[in-house]
Amino acid sequence: MFDLILHAIPIFVICLVLEAASFYFLPDDDERGYEFRDTATSLTMGLGNVVINIGWKLAVLAVLAGAFLITPLHLPADNPLTWLALFVADDVAYYWYHRTHHTIRLLWASHVVHHSSQQYNLSTALRQTWTPFTSLPYWIPLALLGFEPWMILLQQSISLLYQFFIHTERVGKLWRPIELVMNTPSHHRVHHGSNQAYLDRNYGGILIVWDRLFGTFAGEDEQVRFGLTKNIDTFNPMRVATHEYTAIWRDVRGAANWRDRVGHVVKGPGWAPTAQ
């Protein structure tokens, strides 16, 4: 099975080197740049994600193939309109996947890895989860709509490839029509901000129109503070991968009743039971 992301790894490496060199030769006091330990952690998380996905993507392919086999809908892969429809459908699926992974704590435990760095550069894009298993349900509907599984996986890879390049401080705001429609470095910096005004904003993958449509858009105004509202301050990859699961387990064990236990799992990050 062709994996676009695996084949793009040399491009990622070249771009990382070039961006790091740009910070060295053209430093900017307002930009964080690179920090060796942070970058090493991000690269380790990325490599771990690649290894885990070697097996997990086979399971994903099997489930999508099963859904495609039972649906009466089969869209022609040789029709450009099918690919256009897939682009839109995949981007909508990604928006809701991304949004719920910020608003449901158990899902956030997987996604928080990507937000755990206090730096913001191309290496941050590679800081990926080691528990990618919660993403599958969001793309099963695409197979049921008649898109072939290999097409879905390819479009997912195209989206991830695009998103790699928007993890940078080196690019300011772009031409206004582009900023209106596309997810850009400026929009995604907002998404990675821990500023109160930037929390839970700009979930889009390639397009930013879904955020504008569903009321989750925010433009980049004040200086972005990258990282979490409560940073974990560790470069240990295992702790980065598991810290929120550990916190959920601690809160569930300490909860006074089953309602609060469920709340700690399905409510948003930072939720706490109200005093009785």
Side-chain angles (χ1 to χ4, degrees), residues 7-179:
H7 285 76
I9 288 177
I11 297 175
F12 294 160
V13 173
I14 292 170
C15 290
L16 283 173
V17 171
L18 290 175
E19 186 185 46
S22 78
F23 279 110
Y24 181 81
F25 292 108
L26 298 169
D28 187 321
D29 291 340
D30 293 330
E31 297 177 358
R32 298 295 301 270
Y34 281 76
E35 198 277 335
F36 178 79
R37 293 171 299 171
D38 180 85
T39 301
T41 299
S42 294
L43 295 180
T44 301
M45 301 306 299
L47 289 172
N49 177 268
V50 168
V51 171
I52 291 167
N53 270 314
I54 291 173
W56 174 239
K57 280 193 175 181
L58 294 176
V60 171
L61 183 61
V63 172
L64 294 179
F68 183 74
L69 287 173
I70 66 173
T71 183
L73 304 174
H74 293 92
L75 301 175
D78 58 352
N79 189 330
L81 292 179
T82 298
W83 287 96
L84 178 61
L86 176 59
F87 169 80
V88 174
D90 173 79
D91 215 55
V92 172
Y94 181 85
Y95 172 87
W96 287 107
Y97 151 79
H98 201 179
R99 182 168 176 172
T100 54
H101 277 65
H102 275 258
T103 55
I104 298 173
R105 192 180 180 193
L106 182 62
L107 304 183
W108 171 245
S110 171
H111 185 63
V112 66
V113 170
H114 184 58
H115 287 263
S116 60
S117 174
Q118 296 179 58
Q119 312 294 123
Y120 189 76
N121 51 57
L122 293 176
S123 77
T124 309
L126 305 179
R127 185 178 286 224
Q128 294 294 326
T129 181
W130 288 357
T131 54
F133 318 116
T134 54
S135 63
L136 176 57
Y138 296 84
W139 277 269
I140 293 175
L142 274 63
L144 294 174
L145 287 172
F147 296 106
E148 294 191 39
W150 71 269
M151 297 172 63
I152 297 172
L153 294 178
L154 178 57
Q155 183 58 45
Q156 284 181 327
S157 295
I158 292 171
S159 178
L160 289 174
L161 183 62
Y162 175 88
Q163 291 179 59
F164 170 80
F165 293 101
I166 61 176
H167 288 82
T168 183
E169 292 186 273
R170 302 263 79 180
V171 177
K173 291 187 178 182
L174 301 177
W175 185 39
R176 186 174 176 83
I178 295 176
E179 294 281 339

Side-chain angles (χ1 to χ4, degrees), residues 240-255:
V240 172
T242 62
H243 74 274
E244 186 64 14
Y245 292 109
T246 302
I248 291 174
W249 177 243
R250 182 181 62 244
D251 289 342
V252 167
R253 288 185 62 188

